[in-house]
Amino acid sequence: MIEMDYFMELNSIEAEIKSRKARKVLLQFPEGLQSSAVKISKALKLATGAEIVISADPCWGGCDLAENAALKLGADLLVHFGHSPWPKKPKVPTLFIEVRSDIEVREVVLRAIGFLSAKKIGIATTVQHIHKLNEIKTLLEEKGFEILVGKPSGRAKYVGQILGCDLSSVKKINVDQFLFVGGGTFHPLGIALATGKRVIAADPFSGKVTDMSEETKRVLMQRYAQIAKAKNAERFGVVIGLKFGQINLKFARQIKEKIESEGREAYLIACEEINPERFYGLEDIEALVITACPRIVIEDGPRFKIPVITPMELDILLGVRKWEGIIGEETFGYKELSRL
């Protein structure tokens, strides 16, 4: 077993390599786990004798599987660390290793209680802390709260688990507030946008507790501004993400047709890494509609020189949907990705 801030069992990986008689194995890690890559590579090499290759490309989730890299390298097995399995079947034999965080959550949850102003609370987390969910539930119930945990109906695997593009577990329960336990602000922001409820984020890594209300307002103002900037655009780029779990050409075509039916121009644009630098040369494009991960729009959108909007925001721009309906959608209208 490899132990750091996270713990992972390597026996299942060794057994899989041996059972498949794999001679070349590609390891893929999210950024937070790359510090373990050399230790794991060395351990697997000694245990199996296989050639181990470490992917140094960024990885943002189970949707960002290094399938193409594995095919190019002729890997017999791809081992993806840190995320639960993706519903789509890869072209390369793949082993998903769900890495769990060993950090304690009790202290930060107790601190978060002071931020909870209601008794009926929904709780959610990511796969790294999913094994702590019962502890969190019990701790809050002992303090007199009624706790509900939702069952997902999309890509998420566990009760109470959320992904950036699957917030079904929080949308299924009727509560007054939510408590999210985990790192960062993207996931609790997604809960706030998907439910319209007050969300408290408890980060066990930093020990910080945050009321997401102000951040939610800030992002909504930012999104409104992006829609307003794109209002007069005549030439749109409809961006297709080429990552394993983000490709949706059919949906992109539908968006293109919708734009063209309004008398504007639309062009399909495909790329692996969607960032501002990719579009510097496409000077004729005046606005982008992103059909890939919602994180690109919400977190990276302000870095683009031109407006970057979601499919649902396009509907608002075209007058098909009202701005008031934006709250309550799964991260600004990415339900369509569930059809991938």
Side-chain angles (χ1 to χ4, degrees):
M1 180 180 289
I2 300 287
E3 295 189 20
M4 283 119 335
D5 290 334
Y6 294 84
F7 60 90
M8 60 188 82
E9 181 61 62
L10 298 186
N11 289 344
S12 60
I13 307 175
E14 294 172 10
E16 189 74 15
I17 293 172
K18 290 176 179 177
S19 68
R20 289 183 174 276
K21 298 180 180 179
R23 302 313 306 157
K24 185 181 293 182
V25 180
L26 178 63
L27 307 182
Q28 183 185 23
F29 301 86
E31 187 175 325
L33 295 177
Q34 282 192 340
S35 59
S36 309
V38 172
K39 292 179 183 177
I40 293 172
S41 177
K42 182 178 180 180
L44 293 176
K45 171 67 177 175
L46 289 172
T48 67
E51 180 181 26
I52 309 295
V53 181
I54 300 169
S55 171
D57 284 328
C59 172
W60 301 103
C63 63
D64 196 4
L65 198 67
E67 180 184 62
N68 288 335
L71 288 169
K72 289 177 181 178
L73 291 167
D76 304 304
L77 180 67
L78 169 59
V79 183
H80 177 97
F81 291 86
H83 305 104
S84 51
W86 201 252
K88 180 181 175 182
K89 186 178 179 180
K91 296 176 183 176
V92 178
T94 301
L95 185 61
F96 285 85
I97 301 298
E98 299 177 2
V99 180
R100 301 283 189 261
S101 172
D102 203 20
I103 196 165
E104 290 298 324
V105 299
R106 179 182 175 84
E107 186 176 336
V108 76
V109 171
L110 289 174
R111 193 175 300 127
I113 288 174
F115 290 74
L116 299 175
S117 57
K119 286 296 181 182
K120 197 173 183 181
I121 306 295
I123 58 174
T125 188
T126 57
V127 72
Q128 287 78 20
H129 308 283
I130 203 72
H131 60 298
K132 298 283 187 177
L133 211 56
N134 284 335
E135 177 186 346
I136 296 166
K137 183 175 184 290
T138 300
L139 189 58
L140 292 172
E141 287 175 338
E142 288 174 351
K143 298 297 181 180
F145 293 94
E146 180 185 352
I147 303 301
L148 278 72
V149 188
K151 185 178 180 181
S153 58
R155 296 188 176 100
K157 180 180 178 181
Y158 300 102
V159 171
Q161 180 192 1
I162 60 170
L163 304 173
C165 57
D166 183 6
L167 295 156
S168 55
S169 66
V170 294
K171 285 180 68 75
K172 285 190 169 185
I173 52 178
N174 182 21
V175 296
D176 301 313
Q177 278 182 269
F178 282 94
L179 174 65
F180 170 81
V181 179
T185 60
F186 176 70
H187 289 99
L189 176 63
I191 297 173
L193 296 172
T195 65
K197 300 292 176 66
R198 184 177 176 223
V199 179
I200 304 302
D203 188 336
F205 300 104
S206 67
K208 186 178 180 181
V209 178
T210 306
D211 184 334
M212 295 300 298
S213 301
E214 289 303 314
E215 177 67 5
T216 303
K217 290 177 185 177
R218 185 190 69 80
V219 169
L220 284 171
M221 289 177 63
Q222 187 184 87
R223 300 316 313 150
Y224 186 86
Q226 290 284 296
I227 296 170
K229 287 180 182 178
K231 195 80 174 176
N232 296 321
E234 290 296 328
R235 290 179 295 276
F236 286 80
V238 182
V239 182
I240 307 159
L242 294 180
K243 292 183 183 296
F244 165 77
Q246 296 180 15
I247 302 172
N248 199 336
L249 179 57
K250 181 180 178 181
F251 182 43
R253 285 172 176 156
Q254 291 171 352
I255 292 172
K256 181 177 183 290
E257 290 171 4
K258 184 184 294 185
I259 294 169
E260 291 172 339
S261 70
E262 295 290 326
R264 310 191 196 199
E265 297 176 25
Y267 302 88
L268 297 177
I269 303 171
C271 51
E272 190 88 20
E273 293 295 329
I274 303 172
N275 56 51
E277 294 74 22
R278 290 286 183 271
F279 300 91
Y280 285 167
L282 298 173
E283 297 178 354
D284 290 337
I285 299 296
E286 298 171 310
L288 298 173
V289 183
I290 308 294
T291 67
C293 177
R295 187 187 290 266
I296 297 163
V297 176
I298 295 174
E299 289 195 343
D300 296 336
R303 298 197 301 114
F304 285 75
K305 291 182 178 180
I306 57 177
V308 178
I309 61 176
T310 71
M312 189 182 78
E313 291 171 343
L314 175 67
D315 284 347
I316 295 171
L317 183 152
L318 297 177
V320 177
R321 186 192 299 257
K322 292 184 179 180
W323 167 258
E324 291 75 14
I326 197 168
I327 291 289
E329 294 293 335
E330 289 210 11
T331 318
F332 291 108
Y334 279 85
K335 287 180 182 178
E336 292 84 356
L337 291 177
S338 65
R339 297 199 291 264
L340 292 177

